[in-house]
Coordinates of all heavy atoms in Angstrom, one line a residue:
V1277 N -12.1 25.0 -26.1 CA -11.0 24.8 -27.2 C -10.2 23.6 -26.8 O -9.5 23.6 -25.7 CB -10.1 26.1 -27.3 CG1 -9.1 25.9 -28.4 CG2 -10.9 27.3 -27.6
A1278 N -10.2 22.6 -27.6 CA -9.4 21.4 -27.3 C -7.9 21.7 -27.6 O -7.1 21.3 -26.8 CB -9.9 20.2 -28.2
T1279 N -7.7 22.3 -28.7 CA -6.3 22.7 -29.0 C -6.3 23.7 -30.2 O -7.4 23.9 -30.8 CB -5.4 21.5 -29.4 OG1 -4.1 21.8 -29.5 CG2 -5.9 20.9 -30.7
T1280 N -5.2 24.2 -30.5 CA -5.0 25.0 -31.8 C -4.0 24.2 -32.6 O -3.1 23.6 -32.1 CB -4.6 26.4 -31.6 OG1 -3.3 26.4 -30.9 CG2 -5.6 27.2 -30.7
I1281 N -4.2 24.3 -33.9 CA -3.3 23.7 -34.9 C -2.7 24.8 -35.7 O -3.4 25.5 -36.5 CB -4.0 22.6 -35.8 CG1 -4.6 21.5 -34.9 CG2 -3.0 22.0 -36.8 CD1 -5.4 20.5 -35.8
C1282 N -1.4 25.0 -35.6 CA -0.7 26.0 -36.4 C -0.3 25.4 -37.7 O 0.2 24.3 -37.8 CB 0.5 26.5 -35.7 SG 0.2 27.0 -33.9
V1283 N -0.6 26.1 -38.8 CA -0.4 25.5 -40.1 C 0.3 26.5 -41.0 O 0.0 27.7 -41.0 CB -1.8 25.2 -40.8 CG1 -1.6 24.4 -42.1 CG2 -2.7 24.5 -39.9
G1284 N 1.3 26.0 -41.8 CA 2.0 26.8 -42.7 C 3.0 26.0 -43.5 O 3.1 24.8 -43.3
F1285 N 3.7 26.6 -44.4 CA 4.7 25.9 -45.2 C 6.0 25.9 -44.3 O 6.4 26.9 -43.8 CB 5.0 26.5 -46.5 CG 3.8 26.4 -47.5 CD1 3.0 27.5 -47.8 CD2 3.6 25.2 -48.1 CE1 2.0 27.4 -48.7 CE2 2.5 25.1 -49.0 CZ 1.7 26.1 -49.3
P1286 N 6.6 24.7 -44.2 CA 7.8 24.6 -43.4 C 8.9 25.5 -44.0 O 9.1 25.5 -45.2 CB 8.2 23.2 -43.4 CG 7.0 22.4 -43.8 CD 6.2 23.4 -44.7
A1287 N 9.6 26.3 -43.2 CA 10.7 27.1 -43.7 C 11.8 26.2 -44.2 O 12.5 26.5 -45.2 CB 11.2 28.0 -42.6
V1288 N 12.0 25.1 -43.6 CA 13.0 24.1 -44.0 C 12.4 22.7 -43.9 O 11.4 22.6 -43.1 CB 14.3 24.1 -43.2 CG1 15.0 25.5 -43.4 CG2 14.0 23.9 -41.7
P1289 N 12.9 21.7 -44.6 CA 12.2 20.4 -44.4 C 12.4 19.9 -43.0 O 13.4 20.0 -42.4 CB 13.1 19.5 -45.4 CG 13.7 20.5 -46.4 CD 13.9 21.7 -45.6
I1290 N 11.3 19.3 -42.5 CA 11.3 18.6 -41.2 C 10.5 17.4 -41.4 O 9.3 17.4 -41.2 CB 10.9 19.5 -40.0 CG1 10.9 18.7 -38.7 CG2 9.6 20.2 -40.3 CD1 10.8 19.5 -37.5
D1291 N 11.1 16.3 -41.8 CA 10.5 15.2 -42.3 C 11.3 13.9 -41.9 O 11.7 13.2 -42.8 CB 10.4 15.3 -43.8 CG 9.4 14.3 -44.4 OD1 8.4 14.0 -43.8 OD2 9.7 13.7 -45.5
K1292 N 11.5 13.8 -40.6 CA 12.5 12.8 -40.2 C 12.0 12.1 -38.9 O 11.6 12.8 -37.9 CB 13.8 13.6 -39.9 CG 14.9 12.7 -39.4 CD 16.1 13.7 -39.1 CE 17.3 13.0 -38.4 NZ 18.4 13.9 -38.2
P1293 N 12.0 10.8 -38.9 CA 11.6 10.1 -37.7 C 12.6 10.4 -36.5 O 13.8 10.6 -36.8 CB 11.7 8.6 -38.1 CG 11.6 8.6 -39.6 CD 12.3 9.9 -40.0
V1294 N 12.2 10.3 -35.3 CA 13.0 10.5 -34.2 C 12.8 9.3 -33.2 O 11.8 8.5 -33.4 CB 12.8 11.8 -33.4 CG1 13.1 13.0 -34.3 CG2 11.4 11.9 -32.9
C1295 N 13.6 9.2 -32.2 CA 13.5 8.1 -31.3 C 12.4 8.4 -30.3 O 12.2 9.6 -29.9 CB 14.8 7.8 -30.6 SG 16.1 7.2 -31.7
R1296 N 11.7 7.4 -29.8 CA 10.6 7.5 -28.8 C 10.8 6.5 -27.8 O 11.3 5.4 -28.0 CB 9.2 7.4 -29.5 CG 8.8 8.6 -30.3 CD 8.4 9.7 -29.4 NE 8.0 11.0 -30.1 CZ 8.7 12.1 -30.1 NH1 9.9 12.1 -29.6 NH2 8.3 13.1 -30.8
E1297 N 10.2 6.8 -26.6 CA 10.2 5.8 -25.5 C 9.3 4.6 -25.8 O 8.4 4.8 -26.7 CB 9.7 6.5 -24.2 CG 10.6 7.6 -23.7 CD 10.1 9.0 -24.3 OE1 9.4 9.0 -25.3 OE2 10.5 10.0 -23.7
Y1298 N 9.5 3.5 -25.2 CA 8.7 2.3 -25.4 C 7.6 2.3 -24.3 O 8.0 2.1 -23.1 CB 9.5 1.0 -25.3 CG 10.5 0.9 -26.4 CD1 11.9 1.1 -26.1 CD2 10.2 0.6 -27.7 CE1 12.9 1.0 -27.1 CE2 11.2 0.4 -28.7 CZ 12.5 0.7 -28.4 OH 13.4 0.5 -29.4

Side-chain angles (χ1 to χ4, degrees):
V1277 181
T1279 189
T1280 61
I1281 301 176
C1282 308
V1283 189
F1285 291 104
V1288 296
I1290 176 167
D1291 193 37
K1292 177 181 175 183
V1294 297
C1295 295
R1296 284 282 179 257
E1297 302 89 339
Y1298 296 103

